[in-house]
Amino acid sequence: LLHAAQEEFGYCPKEAIVMISQRKNVPLATMYRLMTCYSAFRLEKPAKHVITVCTSTGAYVNGGGELLKQIKAKAAETGADVTIETARDIGCANAAPAILVDGEVYSGVQAQAKLEQIFSESN
């Protein structure tokens, strides 16, 4: 049900969590613990674009940490409407460092082009 709510709204609104809690007779504290334990769930509405940077060991060794810093700096500089997240593994070790942009995987030149497109939207 939580996944369905997130799919519908892009995050899990408080109202949906309360309704699920009541209908399934699960204490709100348990629901909140579940929501904050798993990175798959969002408690806040995401921005127009969601950028997820892989922080696996392979990604980090291949520049993932630096890429994350660059994305954060560029987002702050441009005021782009983005939510920046990290994930320990997005399943793309062969393309590390890779990013997800709105659920699509990008790496290398394609990642840079997609990021430039997003950051130029805000100018």
Side-chain angles (χ1 to χ4, degrees), residues 12-13 56 63 96 110-112 117:
C12 291
S56 69
Q110 294 158 334
Q112 292 300 326
Q117 175 191 353

Side-chain angles (χ1 to χ4, degrees), residues 38-101:
Y38 296 103
S39 62
F41 295 114
R42 291 189 188 96
L43 292 171
E44 296 178 3
K45 186 175 182 175
K48 180 179 178 183
H49 296 288
V50 178
I51 301 171
T52 307
V53 181
C54 184
T55 58
S56 69
T57 302
Y60 185 80
V61 168
N62 287 309
E66 186 59 35
L67 179 60
L68 178 59
K69 288 180 192 175
Q70 290 172 2
I71 291 170
K72 286 181 177 181
K74 192 73 169 176
E77 175 187 316
T78 62
D81 188 16
V82 296
T83 297
I84 301 170
E85 302 175 332
T86 60
R88 291 190 180 151
D89 189 1
I90 61 172
C92 298
N94 61 325
I99 59 172
L100 289 173
V101 178

Side-chain angles (χ1 to χ4, degrees), residues 6-7 12 16 21 61:
Q6 181 153 299
E7 176 121 357
C12 291
S21 169
V61 168

